[in-house]
């Protein structure tokens, strides 16, 4: 799962690919246990942080401007993202082997998938028709950069900012993604 998705040259294909990756990581978390579950949960958190940063920095601003009712659509997506962030920060405090973790990760999965489907339907598809292919391709390159600065697996022993950027609580991972992104 650590490889970047490059199918499709536009941002919509790229982010839909990330949605598929997120779904697969949720499945990995739910179907595993112990150390494997901890690793899968870390990968899921990193993927969500990177994906959310790309949306907030690239997609939402474009949707606000390009889509009729764009402001309302983005407001609803941000509301869903904030709810997911809160749920994730609660889940982070739980033991991955607990029943509560299992219940909450399944609830979060359902919410994140519903959010992704709404995003694809109301935001991504609209952008795909409203913006020119060249602009969508430039947006994809920016989203790829956001993913490239955030490795999917931590590299033990390498103390570079990139390697260790996405560890710790989810909120901190999002902040560090955003910081790296704004420096591009």
């Amino acid at each position: 799962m650590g490889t970047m998705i490059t199918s499709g040259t536009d941002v919509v294909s790229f982010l839909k690919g990330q949605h598929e990756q997120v779904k697969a990581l949720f499945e990995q978390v739910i179907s595993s246990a112990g150390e494997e579950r901890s690793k899968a949960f870390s990968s899921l958190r990193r993927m969500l942080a990177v994906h959310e940063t790309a949306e907030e920095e690239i997609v939402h601003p474009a949707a606000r401007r390009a889509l009729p009712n764009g402001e309302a659509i983005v407001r609803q997506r941000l509301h869903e993202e904030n709810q997911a962030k809160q749920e994730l920060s609660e889940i982070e405090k739980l033991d991955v082997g607990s029943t509560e973790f299992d219940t909450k990760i399944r609830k979060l999965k359902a919410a994140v998938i519903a959010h992704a489907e709404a995003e694809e339907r109301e935001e991504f598809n609209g952008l795909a028709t409203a913006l020119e292919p060249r602009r969508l391709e430039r947006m994809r390159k920016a989203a790829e950069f956001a993913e490239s600065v955030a490795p999917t697996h931590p590299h033990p022993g390498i103390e570079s900012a990139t390697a260790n950027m996405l560890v710790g609580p989810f909120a901190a991972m999002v902040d560090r993604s955003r910081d790296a992104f704004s420096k591009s």
Side-chain angles (χ1 to χ4, degrees), residues 71-140:
E71 189 60 51
I73 290 169
V74 170
R75 198 175 317 117
Q76 182 59 37
R77 297 297 77 79
L78 289 171
H79 174 71
E80 293 160 2
E81 287 165 17
N82 286 332
Q83 280 186 308
K85 272 187 216 173
Q86 287 174 350
E87 288 174 31
L88 200 50
S89 71
E90 287 173 29
I91 294 170
E92 286 175 325
K93 297 171 190 157
L94 303 172
D95 180 324
V96 295
S98 69
T99 309
E100 194 181 0
F101 178 93
D102 201 58
T103 303
K104 289 193 173 190
I105 199 76
R106 288 171 190 273
K107 183 180 171 223
L108 179 64
K109 177 189 174 201
V112 167
I113 288 174
H115 165 76
E117 287 169 354
E119 212 165 48
E120 289 179 13
R121 190 175 56 248
E122 298 175 24
E123 203 170 1
F124 294 2
N125 294 343
L127 285 175
T129 53
L131 302 178
E132 356 170 313
R134 258 198 313 238
R135 170 115 188 260
L136 292 167
E137 196 170 325
R138 283 197 308 273
M139 289 168 70
R140 186 213 70 214

Side-chain angles (χ1 to χ4, degrees), residues 46 49-51 53-54 57 145-146 149-150 165-166 171-183:
R46 278 192 288 279
V50 170
H51 181 71
T53 303
E57 300 289 330
F145 172 77
V149 297
M165 189 174 98
L166 290 179
M173 294 194 304
V174 170
D175 288 344
R176 287 192 292 270
S177 293
R178 196 170 287 123
D179 289 348
F181 196 87
S182 65
K183 289 175 185 141

